[in-house]
Amino acid sequence: MTEITKLYQYNTLSALMSGLYEGTMTIGELLKHGDLGVGTLDSIDGELIVLDGKAYQAKGDKTITELSNDVKVPYAAVVFHRAEVVFKQRYKTTYEEIKQRIESYFDGENLFRSIKIKGRFSKMHVRMIPRAEEGVKFVEVSHHQPEYSEDDVTGTIVGIWTPEMFHGVGVAGYHLHFISDDFSFGGHILDFEMDEGEVEIGAIDQLEQAFPVQDRKYLFAKLNLEELKKDIDVAEATQDK
Ligand SMILES: [Zn+2]
Protein backbone atom coordinates (compact mmCIF):
# COMPACT_ATOMS: atom_id res chain seq x y z
CA MET A 1 0.00 0.00 0.00
CA THR A 2 1.33 3.41 -0.84
CA GLU A 3 1.85 5.85 1.92
CA ILE A 4 -0.64 8.73 1.99
CA THR A 5 0.66 12.14 3.06
CA LYS A 6 -2.00 14.40 4.46
CA LEU A 7 -1.76 18.14 4.96
CA TYR A 8 -3.63 19.04 8.12
CA GLN A 9 -5.08 22.52 8.14
CA TYR A 10 -6.60 23.89 11.27
CA ASN A 11 -9.04 26.70 10.58
CA THR A 12 -8.64 28.93 7.53
CA LEU A 13 -6.53 31.92 6.76
CA SER A 14 -9.66 33.84 5.78
CA ALA A 15 -11.08 33.46 9.28
CA LEU A 16 -7.79 34.62 10.75
CA MET A 17 -7.65 37.59 8.39
CA SER A 18 -11.10 38.68 9.50
CA GLY A 19 -9.90 39.02 13.09
CA LEU A 20 -10.74 35.66 14.69
CA TYR A 21 -7.56 35.31 16.74
CA GLU A 22 -8.63 33.16 19.65
CA GLY A 23 -6.59 29.98 20.03
CA THR A 24 -8.88 26.95 19.88
CA MET A 25 -6.55 23.99 19.22
CA THR A 26 -3.71 22.89 21.46
CA ILE A 27 -0.16 22.35 20.22
CA GLY A 28 -0.35 18.83 21.65
CA GLU A 29 -3.28 18.02 19.37
CA LEU A 30 -1.76 19.80 16.38
CA LEU A 31 1.52 17.87 16.59
CA LYS A 32 -0.41 14.59 16.24
CA HIS A 33 -1.07 15.68 12.66
CA GLY A 34 2.36 16.75 11.49
CA ASP A 35 6.01 17.41 12.24
CA LEU A 36 6.55 20.42 9.95
CA GLY A 37 4.44 23.50 9.42
CA VAL A 38 3.44 27.09 9.99
CA GLY A 39 0.78 29.07 11.78
CA THR A 40 0.24 31.65 14.46
CA LEU A 41 -0.57 31.75 18.18
CA ASP A 42 -3.50 32.86 20.28
CA SER A 43 -4.10 36.63 19.81
CA ILE A 44 -1.76 36.38 16.76
CA ASP A 45 1.12 36.70 19.20
CA GLY A 46 3.92 35.92 16.75
CA GLU A 47 4.69 33.18 14.26
CA LEU A 48 4.35 29.43 14.81
CA ILE A 49 7.17 27.30 13.44
CA VAL A 50 6.88 23.51 13.54
CA LEU A 51 10.20 21.81 12.84
CA ASP A 52 11.07 18.14 13.41
CA GLY A 53 7.99 17.59 15.55
CA LYS A 54 8.58 20.54 17.88
CA ALA A 55 6.66 23.83 17.96
CA TYR A 56 8.26 27.23 18.42
CA GLN A 57 6.94 30.76 18.78
CA ALA A 58 8.84 33.66 17.21
CA LYS A 59 7.60 36.86 18.81
CA GLY A 60 7.79 40.51 17.82
CA ASP A 61 10.33 41.18 20.57
CA LYS A 62 12.70 38.85 18.67
CA THR A 63 12.53 36.00 21.15
CA ILE A 64 11.96 32.34 20.33
CA THR A 65 10.33 29.93 22.75
CA GLU A 66 9.62 26.24 22.45
CA LEU A 67 5.90 25.78 23.07
CA SER A 68 4.34 23.38 25.54
CA ASN A 69 1.47 21.11 24.53
CA ASP A 70 -1.23 23.17 26.25
CA VAL A 71 -0.63 26.37 24.26
CA LYS A 72 -3.44 27.11 21.79
CA VAL A 73 -3.42 28.20 18.17
CA PRO A 74 -6.11 29.84 16.04
CA TYR A 75 -4.62 28.76 12.71
CA ALA A 76 -1.97 26.29 11.55
CA ALA A 77 -1.02 23.98 8.71
CA VAL A 78 1.14 20.92 9.44
CA VAL A 79 2.19 17.77 7.65
CA PHE A 80 4.38 14.75 8.28
CA HIS A 81 6.97 15.94 5.78
CA ARG A 82 8.08 13.28 3.33
CA ALA A 83 10.73 14.55 0.92
CA GLU A 84 10.07 13.52 -2.65
CA VAL A 85 12.64 15.72 -4.38
CA VAL A 86 15.90 16.71 -2.70
CA PHE A 87 18.47 18.95 -4.33
CA LYS A 88 21.58 20.78 -3.28
CA GLN A 89 21.87 24.45 -4.04
CA ARG A 90 25.62 25.00 -4.22
CA TYR A 91 25.90 28.62 -5.23
CA LYS A 92 24.39 31.86 -3.98
CA THR A 93 20.78 32.41 -5.04
CA THR A 94 17.91 34.76 -4.40
CA TYR A 95 14.53 33.67 -3.06
CA GLU A 96 13.10 34.31 -6.53
CA GLU A 97 15.61 31.94 -8.16
CA ILE A 98 15.07 29.22 -5.58
CA LYS A 99 11.32 29.42 -6.14
CA GLN A 100 11.79 28.87 -9.85
CA ARG A 101 14.08 25.92 -9.28
CA ILE A 102 11.64 24.37 -6.77
CA GLU A 103 8.70 24.80 -9.14
CA SER A 104 10.63 23.21 -12.00
CA TYR A 105 10.22 19.92 -10.09
CA PHE A 106 6.45 20.23 -9.62
CA ASP A 107 4.07 18.01 -11.55
CA GLY A 108 1.59 20.74 -12.41
CA GLU A 109 0.19 23.46 -10.20
CA ASN A 110 -2.70 21.77 -8.45
CA LEU A 111 -1.14 19.87 -5.56
CA PHE A 112 0.03 21.17 -2.18
CA ARG A 113 3.67 20.67 -1.28
CA SER A 114 5.70 20.82 1.89
CA ILE A 115 9.01 22.67 1.74
CA LYS A 116 12.08 22.29 3.96
CA ILE A 117 15.34 24.09 3.24
CA LYS A 118 18.34 23.74 5.49
CA GLY A 119 21.07 26.16 4.63
CA ARG A 120 23.33 29.11 5.13
CA PHE A 121 21.73 32.43 4.37
CA SER A 122 23.61 35.63 3.58
CA LYS A 123 20.35 37.48 4.23
CA MET A 124 17.16 36.48 6.00
CA HIS A 125 14.32 39.00 6.24
CA VAL A 126 11.39 38.03 8.48
CA ARG A 127 8.44 39.55 10.25
CA MET A 128 6.63 38.57 13.40
CA ILE A 129 2.99 39.49 13.56
CA PRO A 130 2.44 41.42 16.80
CA ARG A 131 -0.17 40.46 19.36
CA ALA A 132 -3.53 42.07 18.64
CA GLU A 133 -7.05 42.30 19.94
CA GLU A 134 -9.73 40.10 18.44
CA GLY A 135 -11.63 41.91 15.68
CA VAL A 136 -8.86 44.27 14.55
CA LYS A 137 -8.29 43.16 10.97
CA PHE A 138 -5.05 41.27 10.33
CA VAL A 139 -4.06 43.52 7.45
CA GLU A 140 -4.24 46.54 9.76
CA VAL A 141 -2.11 44.80 12.38
CA SER A 142 0.42 43.89 9.70
CA HIS A 143 0.95 47.56 8.87
CA HIS A 144 2.93 47.92 12.07
CA GLN A 145 4.56 44.51 12.21
CA PRO A 146 8.15 44.22 13.46
CA GLU A 147 10.54 43.14 10.70
CA TYR A 148 14.11 42.02 11.11
CA SER A 149 16.88 41.18 8.72
CA GLU A 150 19.92 39.11 9.72
CA ASP A 151 23.09 38.50 7.75
CA ASP A 152 24.98 35.21 7.64
CA VAL A 153 22.64 32.97 9.56
CA THR A 154 22.28 29.19 9.38
CA GLY A 155 18.93 27.58 9.90
CA THR A 156 15.88 25.92 8.41
CA ILE A 157 12.99 27.15 6.32
CA VAL A 158 9.72 25.25 6.73
CA GLY A 159 6.42 25.74 5.02
CA ILE A 160 3.74 24.92 2.55
CA TRP A 161 3.16 25.67 -1.11
CA THR A 162 -0.56 26.06 -1.82
CA PRO A 163 -2.28 25.88 -5.22
CA GLU A 164 -4.07 29.01 -6.38
CA MET A 165 -7.50 27.38 -6.05
CA PHE A 166 -7.05 27.11 -2.27
CA HIS A 167 -6.22 30.76 -1.74
CA GLY A 168 -8.23 31.77 1.30
CA VAL A 169 -7.91 28.39 2.91
CA GLY A 170 -4.18 29.13 3.02
CA VAL A 171 -1.83 31.47 1.19
CA ALA A 172 -1.64 30.64 -2.52
CA GLY A 173 2.01 30.06 -3.34
CA TYR A 174 4.67 29.94 -0.64
CA HIS A 175 4.02 30.35 3.05
CA LEU A 176 7.41 29.92 4.68
CA HIS A 177 8.77 30.43 8.18
CA PHE A 178 12.40 30.40 9.29
CA ILE A 179 14.18 29.34 12.46
CA SER A 180 17.92 29.62 13.02
CA ASP A 181 20.02 26.65 14.14
CA ASP A 182 20.72 28.31 17.49
CA PHE A 183 16.99 29.09 17.96
CA SER A 184 17.72 32.79 18.42
CA PHE A 185 16.09 34.16 15.26
CA GLY A 186 13.03 33.35 13.19
CA GLY A 187 9.68 34.39 11.79
CA HIS A 188 7.50 34.63 8.70
CA ILE A 189 9.77 34.97 5.65
CA LEU A 190 9.55 38.09 3.51
CA ASP A 191 12.77 37.59 1.58
CA PHE A 192 16.14 35.86 1.73
CA GLU A 193 19.37 35.13 -0.08
CA MET A 194 20.93 31.72 0.33
CA ASP A 195 24.65 30.94 0.08
CA GLU A 196 24.09 27.20 -0.06
CA GLY A 197 21.65 24.65 1.19
CA GLU A 198 19.68 21.49 0.78
CA VAL A 199 16.13 21.84 -0.49
CA GLU A 200 13.46 19.21 0.16
CA ILE A 201 10.12 19.24 -1.64
CA GLY A 202 7.50 17.01 -0.08
CA ALA A 203 4.57 15.41 -1.83
CA ILE A 204 1.09 15.94 -0.39
CA ASP A 205 -1.74 13.61 -1.42
CA GLN A 206 -4.62 14.81 0.70
CA LEU A 207 -5.91 17.84 2.56
CA GLU A 208 -7.62 17.44 5.90
CA GLN A 209 -9.42 20.66 6.74
CA ALA A 210 -10.43 20.98 10.38
CA PHE A 211 -12.70 23.73 11.71
CA PRO A 212 -13.18 25.28 15.16
CA VAL A 213 -16.64 23.74 15.43
CA GLN A 214 -17.25 24.91 18.99
CA ASP A 215 -16.19 28.50 18.41
CA ARG A 216 -19.35 30.58 18.14
CA LYS A 217 -17.40 33.49 16.70
CA TYR A 218 -16.27 31.33 13.79
CA LEU A 219 -19.65 29.68 13.31
CA PHE A 220 -21.54 32.93 12.97
CA ALA A 221 -18.90 35.17 11.39
CA LYS A 222 -19.96 36.98 8.23
CA LEU A 223 -16.93 36.95 5.97
CA ASN A 224 -16.31 39.29 3.05
CA LEU A 225 -14.33 36.79 1.01
CA GLU A 226 -13.21 39.02 -1.84
CA GLU A 227 -11.82 41.54 0.58
CA LEU A 228 -10.20 38.83 2.70
CA LYS A 229 -8.41 37.33 -0.29
CA LYS A 230 -6.94 40.72 -1.07
CA ASP A 231 -5.94 41.14 2.57
CA ILE A 232 -4.09 37.81 2.44
CA ASP A 233 -2.13 39.05 -0.55
CA VAL A 234 -1.04 42.11 1.39
CA ALA A 235 -0.47 40.60 4.81
CA GLU A 236 0.53 36.97 4.51
CA ALA A 237 2.19 36.32 1.20
CA THR A 238 5.83 36.91 0.59
CA GLN A 239 7.23 39.43 -1.84
CA ASP A 240 5.90 37.78 -5.00
CA LYS A 241 2.37 38.93 -4.23
ZN1 LIG B 1 3.32 33.05 8.30
Side-chain angles (χ1 to χ4, degrees):
M1 207 180 90
T2 41
E3 201 183 344
I4 301 284
T5 303
K6 231 186 243 185
L7 174 65
Y8 181 84
Q9 266 249 144
Y10 181 64
N11 211 336
T12 62
L13 210 50
S14 286
L16 190 75
M17 287 293 133
S18 73
L20 299 172
Y21 302 150
E22 194 184 328
T24 42
M25 171 169 276
T26 63
I27 290 289
E29 182 61 28
L30 184 71
L31 292 179
K32 289 180 192 164
H33 300 279
D35 59 7
L36 172 148
V38 294
T40 187
L41 284 303
D42 182 66
S43 306
I44 56 168
D45 192 11
E47 309 290 338
L48 172 69
I49 301 147
V50 177
L51 170 66
D52 299 334
K54 288 181 178 167
Y56 304 90
Q57 174 184 27
K59 281 173 66 165
D61 61 1
K62 228 182 154 190
T63 57
I64 294 197
T65 321
E66 188 179 337
L67 296 166
S68 57
N69 281 343
D70 57 334
V71 171
K72 287 185 173 174
V73 299
Y75 167 79
V78 294
V79 62
F80 285 106
H81 174 70
R82 179 166 55 92
E84 187 181 54
V85 175
V86 180
F87 67 86
K88 290 248 199 307
Q89 182 65 43
R90 296 181 190 278
Y91 56 93
K92 189 167 177 164
T93 41
T94 63
Y95 184 16
E96 225 30 69
E97 289 166 333
I98 279 284
K99 281 198 265 199
Q100 282 170 24
R101 188 164 178 199
I102 288 173
E103 283 160 43
S104 74
Y105 295 106
F106 286 5
D107 300 317
E109 301 172 347
N110 299 321
L111 293 177
F112 286 85
R113 268 130 187 137
S114 57
I115 308 281
K116 184 175 183 181
I117 307 175
K118 199 162 165 41
R120 197 153 51 83
F121 301 87
S122 49
K123 195 186 90 177
M124 179 56 70
H125 180 193
V126 298
R127 74 102 196 270
M128 302 81 156
I129 197 76
R131 188 181 176 89
E133 293 295 318
E134 190 88 351
V136 181
K137 278 180 63 187
F138 196 100
V139 71
E140 283 158 28
V141 179
S142 76
H143 286 147
H144 52 86
Q145 65 192 15
E147 293 180 20
Y148 298 96
S149 198
E150 291 263 293
D151 297 336
D152 301 319
V153 55
T154 59
T156 308
I157 291 171
V158 294
I160 307 294
W161 186 89
T162 295
E164 191 74 40
M165 72 171 124
F166 291 99
H167 192 49
V169 172
V171 187
Y174 296 87
H175 185 180
L176 303 177
H177 288 186
F178 175 77
I179 189 160
S180 66
D181 283 344
D182 63 2
F183 300 99
S184 68
F185 179 69
H188 173 100
I189 292 179
L190 298 173
D191 194 16
F192 66 82
E193 266 173 26
M194 186 164 84
D195 286 332
E196 54 162 343
E198 187 167 276
V199 179
E200 297 182 14
I201 307 168
I204 290 174
D205 307 299
Q206 292 183 5
L207 169 66
E208 184 174 351
Q209 174 65 60
F211 300 100
V213 293
Q214 292 183 324
D215 181 4
R216 290 182 64 92
K217 286 181 215 140
Y218 178 81
L219 296 175
F220 301 105
K222 298 277 185 218
L223 305 174
N224 179 340
L225 291 176
E226 282 316 303
E227 192 181 284
L228 290 170
K229 284 183 179 180
K230 282 187 204 130
D231 286 357
I232 294 172
D233 286 343
V234 175
E236 267 301 292
T238 49
Q239 49 161 19
D240 60 323
K241 292 278 174 176

